[in-house]
Amino acid sequence: MTAESLRDAYGNTLVELGKAHDDLVVLDADLSSSTRTSVFGKAFPDRFFNMGISEQSMVTTAAGLALSGKKVFASTFAVFLTRTYEQLRQSVCYNNLDVKFVVTHAGLTVGEDGATHQIVEDVGIMSGLPNMHVVVPGDSIETASVIHYLFEKTKTPFYVRLSREKFEVVNDRGYEFRLGKGVTLKDGSDITILAYGAMINFSLKAADILKAKGIDARVINMSSIKPIDRDLVIKAARETGRVVTAEEHSIYNGLGSRVAEIISESYPVPLRRVGMKDNFGKSGKAWELFDYFHMTADDIAKASEECFRVEKYENIP
Amino acid sequence: MDYSNVDLKKIANKIRHDIIEMVYGANSGHPGGSLSITDILTVLYFKEMNIDPEEPDDPGRDRLVMSKGHASPGLYATLAERGFFPTSLLSGFRKLSSKLEGHVHRGVPGVETSTGSLGQGLGIGVGMALAGKLDRRDYHVYVILGDGEIEEGNVWESMMAGSKYKLSHLIAILDRNRVQLDGFTDDIMPMGNIRAKAESFGWNVIEINGHNYDEIVSAIERAKSSTGGPTFIIANTVKGKGVSYMENTAKYHGSPPASREEYEKAISELDMELIQ
């Protein structure tokens, strides 16, 4: 497998869309060379607005542009967008506007920059906003497909979370993103691992580890966090009887919490959640940090095995 | 439209009546900062703005963003009097069966954006003016700010953006009534020399009496003819203007007349204003 940049896929897709659509405008807050919106800015300087280190201004200006008929993409680092929670809430989500926030450098994979920049709460924060949708692409192919989908098929606010790091490509070149649909990357009958973003690759490796132990794991890409593929989660619980979630995010208010809600309401089975646990990150090399915070393939495999030690659920086949 | 100052005064008086009826009927709401901007709203909606209640979505229309969204009674009453919706609906203000939300709500005909949490409207105005520039349209964008509101950092971020992009079609109007919820603005958070601040952020600044129709009209005309960048109109106003006991006090920032007697006093004072 090869690793490819999700950010590059984002910037290049913006340029592609910009060529065909005059109504696309892009905003950034002094991080355009990192978020890759600079590529769009270079191609279409009249439709690119660098708002400076003023995220509140970026978000409210984005709202004004959308209210005037523009299709707006706005980017910064994930951690900095969260300071505009209330602008997102009132000016964008309450007005239900066509603004796509594509943020980068989310989660632990920002590495050396450390805890101040490693936001692991954003998926929860954004998912709580009415009208907001939340998507976390798992590789460069999915990123490009998500951006196309959002531009061409939606008119409501979206939060798209990207990492700084390159991710190994897990999807086929012809892959097409569908909102609210999980994608089964590997079938299996004994347990289901639900993951998104950086944790997809770890989850596939965990499935290999489990296979060697005679456990047949299903792995599903849950890139559409809100809306979530509720039916697929329940199907997985019913068919495999055990569920593990894996996310480069806090287990609180992220995929883990959402899945816990769904299966406890609809089909209770043993569940383990791999992710950050109400703590801040730490400076270090991106991939070392997964080790440090117990979020590697081994940790997912271990959590999966724990599910087999639970015996009291009626729903275990 | 060709309204005389006497006509404008009559319309403003009607709007002030509506404001009192609305907050008294809802037993809540913000009369003080609605009464202070009534004359400005009257000039904008009845004389200066290019708007048509029959075509509220016309892409070429002028836009107004009520950034101080608690002044909803003032805006709703003005829109109703201008014909965007029947004045009979004003009595639904703040009630469950009505679209007239406590703070300015986009579902109401003529309202361009929801507001309420302060400091966000100027950025929205920046976005609207940028879009107008991109689309080569000639519309103007008016943003009404409170003087307590400009304590929000978002306002000054957007001041920088308006200046950077030379948005000559963006006109901010500051309702300088010197009173905010907790007291006088100079006590709560002194803003110093607002004129100098706005000028140093790169805006044209015009200072007027916000209750004098000639001054309001001439300031807006000057702002419209500006080509160099955005204009910031400091409108010196009186909080609670038109109802003696509501003037220059924080008490009626967010409270309706406290009793039937107070309500009747407000109405009779407004009635008297027209006779004089």
Side-chain angles (χ1 to χ4, degrees):
Chain A
M1 286 199 281
T2 51
E4 289 183 9
S5 161
L6 283 64
R7 292 182 281 152
D8 286 340
Y10 168 49
N12 295 337
T13 308
L14 282 180
V15 173
E16 217 176 282
L17 290 167
K19 281 177 191 158
H21 305 279
D22 287 342
D23 54 348
L24 170 62
V25 299
V26 178
L27 287 77
D28 205 299
D30 191 43
L31 292 168
S32 65
S33 55
S34 298
T35 64
R36 301 295 194 260
T37 59
S38 59
V39 190
F40 181 92
K42 213 169 263 176
F44 308 102
D46 293 346
R47 289 190 270 145
F48 174 73
F49 305 105
N50 196 326
M51 305 306 292
I53 308 169
S54 310
E55 293 79 13
Q56 301 175 85
S57 169
M58 179 179 78
V59 173
T60 49
T61 301
L65 283 158
L67 281 163
S68 313
K70 299 296 171 192
K71 292 189 76 84
V72 188
F73 278 71
S75 291
T76 177
F77 289 180
V79 67
F80 304 136
L81 192 72
T82 58
R83 74 189 286 148
T84 71
Y85 175 79
E86 218 209 341
Q87 280 78 12
L88 294 170
R89 180 179 182 276
Q90 174 172 293
S91 290
V92 177
C93 290
Y94 186 46
N95 278 326
N96 200 14
L97 300 179
D98 193 354
V99 185
K100 318 305 186 196
F101 296 96
V102 182
V103 299
T104 68
H105 295 62
L108 291 178
T109 37
V110 71
E112 292 85 345
D113 280 349
T116 56
H117 285 49
Q118 289 161 344
I119 190 153
V120 290
E121 316 91 71
D122 53 325
V123 168
I125 291 168
M126 298 300 161
S127 296
L129 284 166
N131 289 339
M132 184 68 104
H133 302 81
V134 178
V135 177
V136 189
D139 65 9
S140 59
I141 291 172
E142 187 168 31
T143 301
S145 181
V146 165
I147 302 303
H148 272 286
Y149 185 97
L150 264 49
F151 184 88
E152 287 151 12
K153 299 201 166 76
T154 73
K155 290 182 171 190
T156 53
F158 270 81
Y159 180 76
V160 180
R161 184 192 206 230
L162 303 180
S163 168
R164 186 191 69 176
E165 287 295 298
K166 292 177 178 175
F167 286 178
E168 288 185 13
V169 175
V170 291
N171 292 292
D172 299 329
R173 291 284 156 195
Y175 169 82
E176 279 185 31
F177 170 78
R178 287 185 304 158
L179 185 63
K181 294 290 172 196
V183 180
T184 304
L185 296 171
K186 180 194 167 300
D187 207 0
S189 54
D190 298 331
I191 188 166
T192 299
I193 304 168
L194 301 167
Y196 62 85
M199 301 305 280
I200 291 172
N201 197 40
F202 284 128
S203 298
L204 289 168
K205 284 178 181 151
D208 288 341
I209 296 169
L210 291 168
K211 194 179 177 185
K213 299 186 177 187
I215 297 170
D216 185 19
R218 181 180 301 183
V219 178
I220 301 179
N221 173 10
M222 298 297 290
S223 50
S224 180
I225 307 260
K226 184 187 171 189
I228 196 163
D229 195 342
R230 188 185 171 87
D231 292 344
L232 191 66
V233 172
I234 295 169
K235 185 169 176 270
R238 186 182 299 124
E239 290 178 358
T240 68
R242 295 158 192 90
V243 175
V244 169
T245 61
E247 56 193 319
E248 186 193 356
H249 185 273
S250 173
I251 60 170
Y252 305 108
N253 302 322
L255 177 69
S257 289
R258 194 70 193 94
V259 168
E261 287 165 19
I262 293 168
I263 67 172
S264 63
E265 279 174 355
S266 301
Y267 202 86
V269 295
L271 168 74
R272 289 292 178 274
R273 296 175 295 161
V274 176
M276 293 291 278
K277 299 179 181 65
D278 198 24
N279 49 355
F280 287 102
K282 201 181 174 318
S283 275
K285 289 204 175 67
W287 302 110
E288 293 183 338
L289 289 165
F290 287 82
D291 221 2
Y292 185 85
F293 288 108
H294 306 292
M295 291 160 59
T296 63
D298 283 332
D299 297 303
I300 297 168
K302 214 182 287 174
S304 302
E305 287 181 84
E306 273 179 38
C307 288
F308 285 87
R309 291 199 276 274
V310 183
E311 288 166 358
K312 287 182 182 168
Y313 283 77
E314 286 174 11
N315 287 327
I316 297 176
Chain B
M1 262 177 256
D2 211 14
Y3 287 106
S4 70
N5 284 357
V6 175
D7 297 331
L8 292 172
K9 189 175 175 181
K10 280 185 190 158
I11 295 165
N13 183 273
K14 183 75 179 58
I15 293 170
R16 286 194 166 95
H17 270 91
D18 292 338
I19 291 168
I20 296 300
E21 299 287 356
M22 287 166 78
V23 296
Y24 186 65
N27 195 25
S28 67
H30 299 75
S34 292
L35 294 167
S36 61
I37 54 164
T38 300
D39 296 307
I40 295 163
L41 286 174
T42 302
V43 170
L44 285 169
Y45 277 94
F46 287 84
K47 200 174 175 83
E48 291 292 337
M49 283 174 68
N50 174 29
I51 40 143
D52 179 358
E54 303 299 319
E55 301 273 349
D57 298 322
D58 178 354
R61 73 192 183 278
D62 286 342
R63 276 97 166 143
L64 183 135
V65 176
M66 179 58 72
S67 191
K68 41 174 279 182
H70 53 271
S72 48
L75 181 63
Y76 293 160
T78 307
L79 291 170
E81 295 293 346
R82 185 66 177 80
F84 281 89
F85 57 92
T87 51
S88 60
L89 296 181
L90 292 174
S91 60
F93 180 55
R94 287 181 166 244
K95 293 178 184 144
L96 193 56
S97 56
S98 169
K99 279 185 180 175
L100 303 183
E101 278 275 319
H103 288 78
V104 169
H105 175 54
R106 189 157 78 105
V108 177
V111 169
E112 297 286 351
T113 178
S114 296
T115 49
S117 169
L118 296 172
Q120 303 185 27
L122 190 59
I124 291 175
V126 166
M128 289 174 166
L130 277 175
K133 224 177 158 177
L134 280 175
D135 294 342
R136 298 200 164 71
R137 292 190 187 276
D138 205 32
Y139 64 75
H140 286 84
V141 181
Y142 299 92
V143 179
I144 299 195
L145 298 164
D147 56 353
E149 176 178 23
I150 63 171
E151 292 158 17
E152 290 280 8
N154 195 165
V155 172
W156 299 97
E157 291 186 1
S158 298
M159 290 289 284
M160 293 189 279
S163 172
K164 172 183 174 182
Y165 290 106
K166 299 190 171 52
L167 299 175
S168 53
H169 282 47
L170 177 62
I171 300 165
I173 302 174
L174 180 71
D175 177 24
R176 182 75 173 119
N177 61 35
R178 298 180 177 273
V179 179
Q180 59 191 109
L181 190 146
D182 266 345
F184 292 104
T185 52
D186 280 351
D187 297 328
I188 306 303
M189 185 50 68
M191 292 302 289
N193 188 336
I194 294 171
R195 168 187 275 274
K197 280 190 168 75
E199 278 171 351
S200 72
F201 274 71
W203 288 54
N204 310 311
V205 180
I206 303 170
E207 192 163 355
I208 58 164
N209 172 346
H211 301 301
N212 179 307
Y213 297 123
D214 289 335
E215 289 190 32
I216 301 169
V217 169
S218 117
I220 291 168
E221 289 296 327
R222 270 175 66 198
K224 276 186 186 172
S225 62
S226 153
T227 51
T231 300
F232 194 88
I233 299 174
I234 300 172
N236 290 303
T237 58
V238 175
K239 188 106 173 182
K241 174 74 174 177
V243 177
S244 60
Y245 63 87
M246 288 188 175
E247 291 190 353
N248 284 312
T249 171
K251 189 178 170 196
Y252 295 93
H253 167 87
S255 301
S259 61
R260 181 87 204 169
E261 290 69 39
E262 278 197 10
Y263 161 73
E264 282 168 0
K265 185 168 162 54
I267 295 297
S268 85
E269 284 183 15
L270 291 171
D271 288 345
M272 288 301 287
E273 188 195 43
L274 282 189
I275 297 164
Q276 283 161 358

